[in-house]
């Protein structure tokens, strides 16, 4: 599970518990100016993941870490697909983040409102 928050002009994604271990990452900070958008997308877990390096992938159980695709690097931290949020990025190490959050709709609203400057 990930906690997504806004700190000033940055989007902060902090991993909790064992997800830090599986994803080999504790925290990501992305300038809001480089966030293109966010969507709740439980179907994203059925898409090809690409080459895992480094990370963990047990189909149907967990996808966590860095995956390399033709579209760039994707960071995953998802165990429950119904709570997956996709955050599209520009000019960052990752082309997108796919993270599991407690409330996908509220997380998407937070990100979109912050991008527009009314959050």
């Amino acid at each position: 599970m990930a906690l997504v928050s806004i700190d000033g002009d940055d989007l902060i994604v902090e991993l909790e518990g064992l997800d830090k271990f599986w994803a080999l990452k504790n925290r990501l900070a992305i300038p809001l100016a480089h966030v293109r958008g966010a969507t709740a997308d439980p179907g994203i877990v059925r898409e090809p993941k690409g080459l895992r390096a480094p990370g963990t992938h047990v189909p149907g159980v967990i996808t966590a870490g860095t995956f390399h695709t033709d579209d760039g690097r994707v960071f995953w931290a998802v165990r429950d697909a119904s709570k997956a949020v996709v955050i599209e990025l520009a000019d960052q190490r990752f082309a997108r983040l796919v993270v599991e959050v407690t409330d996908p709709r509220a997380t998407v609203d937070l990100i979109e409102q912050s991008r527009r400057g009314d959050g």
Side-chain angles (χ1 to χ4, degrees):
M1 187 79 64
L3 295 175
V4 176
S5 61
I6 306 298
D7 183 13
D9 292 332
D10 291 332
L11 170 74
I12 307 296
V13 177
E14 296 180 87
L15 299 181
E16 297 182 302
L18 285 174
D19 289 337
K20 295 178 195 176
F21 173 77
W22 299 120
L24 302 171
K25 196 161 290 297
N26 295 334
R27 181 178 195 266
L28 295 163
I30 309 291
L32 278 172
H34 294 223
V35 176
R36 295 175 35 212
T39 56
D41 186 357
I44 189 77
V45 297
R46 291 188 296 274
E47 289 189 6
K49 307 296 181 293
L51 180 63
R52 172 178 42 101
T56 304
H57 182 61
V58 179
V61 178
I62 186 170
T63 305
T66 301
F67 291 74
H68 301 263
T69 71
D70 290 340
D71 297 327
R73 289 184 184 140
V74 179
F75 178 79
W76 285 82
V78 175
R79 286 190 271 170
D80 181 351
S82 69
K83 297 180 178 178
V85 169
V86 180
I87 304 168
E88 300 286 344
L89 305 175
D91 302 323
Q92 289 293 297
R93 179 172 182 242
F94 295 105
R96 66 169 49 162
L97 311 176
V98 184
V99 295
E100 177 186 330
V101 297
T102 302
D103 185 341
R105 188 73 250 156
T107 300
V108 168
D109 289 345
L110 171 70
I111 293 169
E112 292 299 328
Q113 288 172 2
S114 297
R115 286 183 57 237
R116 292 190 305 262
D118 60 352

